[in-house]
Amino acid sequence: MSWHSRGRAADDLAALDKELADEEDYLDISRHGIVEVVGDDSAGRKIIVVSACKLPPIGKETFNHAKLLRYLMHTLDMFVEQDYSLVYFHYGLTSKNKPSLSWLWQAYRAFDRKYKKNLKALYLVHPTSFIRFIWQLFKPAISAKFGRKMMYFNYLEELAQYINLDQLIIPPQVIEHNEQLLMKNKKNLPASPPQSAVVTPVGTTQFGASLQFIKENNNGDPIPPILRQCVEFLDTPDALETEGIFRRSANVTVIKELQSRCNQGLPIDFQGDPHIAAVLLKTFLRELDEPLMTYELYDEITQFQTLSKDERPRKVKILILEKLPEDNYQVLKYVVQFLSRVMDRCDLNKMTSSNLAVVFGPNLVRAPPARGMSLSAIGPINQFIDFLFTYQDKIFII
């Protein structure tokens, strides 16, 4: 494929450009930070965070709640084809910024089956009597299946047993409120998550380690053993043709057990399930001590959409071939070339370059810890990764 070839690849990029243009229409909503998309939870599901305290007071400024609903749906549209979780921080919803009951009902009805089907968990943090009142009000119209996805947490510490809080963008006022609750109700302090009694041998650690550390402890092989094992398991016709591969989540307990065994240098078994291997592969990339595309390259990647179509090939080649550390380059090449074989079977697995970009973008590119990932960065990151996947045969040196 030439750099200027037209056809499907060009159409995909044009569609991504349109998504970015559409996002611009929501700047007046997105600037409040009410909705944020962060990393994956322990089951490999994307996490969407909604913070009530960031809703502006009604009447103090012009705030379009109908547009907020469209923005929330616009955000979910990028992720509803894969399993996802929703975290709602209720603290900060007051009579001054509370949407009307008619808006809440409209919001529930707007989220049709395509939004509810792949929502695997809805975490409500710091619920009040208002939340319980709304639940009782809407309960007759809410399916029992959807109701089972809802979980209430009185403290952030309870949520921490399901999601790594470091991944979340938690408003300071929510943290302060949580501390006040803990001080007030010391007798109700939630138990800390149980800690493993197994001491991980340092030399065999892979999850959470650096590429350099893993290489030094594996005979100088730049490809981490667990990554190679996942790819080799998935690189078979049956696995490659699994519909929704990399979109589906896996059992949390199984994934954590496999991570623990891997870090102890013990053999692991994917139980013949491609989704387990796929989630473990994503988890490994997500938990690297620095993202594969490095923090240093984050700004250049998030500015990708500002480049002209003619500039993009040269800029991406410079970034990948010259600015990416050698070990990172070798691992990225290994992963992307494997994913190209996944894309070759997209007629069966439904995973096109753009679908894979949505899945892998946040696992390959992360904001520096002090900054956090903003929702506005998701589109440019996905567009960059889509370009990388689409033109991988022209970017990487064979």
Side-chain angles (χ1 to χ4, degrees), residues 210-275:
S210 68
L211 290 178
Q212 183 180 2
F213 175 88
I214 299 171
K215 178 181 176 180
E216 290 173 352
N217 286 277
N218 287 279
N219 302 314
D221 186 351
I223 309 302
I226 184 58
L227 182 60
R228 194 180 293 279
Q229 190 171 353
C230 288
V231 167
E232 289 177 354
F233 177 85
L234 292 167
D235 209 2
T236 61
D238 284 348
L240 289 174
E241 294 169 6
T242 301
E243 184 171 345
I245 189 68
F246 293 112
R247 277 182 174 167
R248 300 279 78 87
S249 53
N251 183 279
V252 176
T253 303
V254 171
I255 295 301
K256 288 193 174 297
E257 172 64 21
L258 291 178
Q259 285 183 260
S260 176
R261 291 184 64 84
C262 175
N263 278 350
Q264 295 172 60
L266 299 174
I268 62 174
D269 180 7
F270 298 124
Q271 304 175 18
D273 188 344
H275 295 301

Side-chain angles (χ1 to χ4, degrees), residues 1-5 312-314 317 387 391 394-395:
M1 183 186 296
S2 68
W3 286 112
H4 302 292
S5 65
R312 291 177 179 182
R314 183 179 65 86
K317 273 198 166 186
F387 188 95
Y391 296 105
K394 298 294 187 293
I395 295 172

Side-chain angles (χ1 to χ4, degrees), residues 166-195:
D166 291 338
Q167 289 191 68
L168 302 184
I169 300 174
I170 307 177
Q173 52 267 57
V174 171
I175 296 175
E176 182 179 351
H177 174 67
N178 189 75
E179 291 174 351
Q180 291 174 352
L181 286 177
L182 290 175
M183 292 295 293
K184 181 179 178 181
N185 304 309
K186 286 184 179 179
K187 61 181 180 180
N188 294 324
L189 281 174
S192 300
Q195 299 296 315

Side-chain angles (χ1 to χ4, degrees), residues 132-152:
R132 302 183 192 283
F133 167 74
I134 293 297
W135 171 249
Q136 291 300 321
L137 187 66
F138 290 169
K139 190 173 182 179
I142 296 175
S143 70
K145 184 176 180 181
F146 182 81
R148 287 193 293 270
K149 298 178 181 181
M150 297 176 62
M151 298 180 68
Y152 292 98

Side-chain angles (χ1 to χ4, degrees), residues 51-114:
S51 301
C53 64
K54 294 186 177 182
L55 282 166
I58 296 173
K60 189 172 183 179
E61 60 176 291
T62 303
F63 184 77
N64 190 330
H65 282 86
K67 194 171 184 180
L68 169 63
L69 178 56
R70 294 196 301 273
Y71 175 61
L72 182 56
M73 296 175 70
H74 167 79
T75 303
L76 292 176
D77 278 339
M78 294 187 277
F79 303 102
V80 293
E81 295 302 323
Q82 58 180 305
D83 294 348
Y84 70 99
S85 298
L86 187 65
V87 177
Y88 170 60
F89 292 120
H90 180 63
Y91 176 74
L93 192 71
T94 68
S95 58
K96 295 181 179 179
N97 66 354
K98 186 186 300 179
S100 65
L101 287 178
S102 61
W103 184 88
L104 292 172
W105 177 241
Q106 181 186 5
Y108 177 76
R109 294 188 63 184
F111 294 117
D112 58 22
R113 186 175 182 275
K114 81 169 184 176

Side-chain angles (χ1 to χ4, degrees), residues 329 333 337 392-393 396-398:
Y329 170 82
K333 177 181 175 182
Q337 289 183 340
Q392 60 85 21
D393 58 329
F396 294 96
I397 300 172
I398 303 301

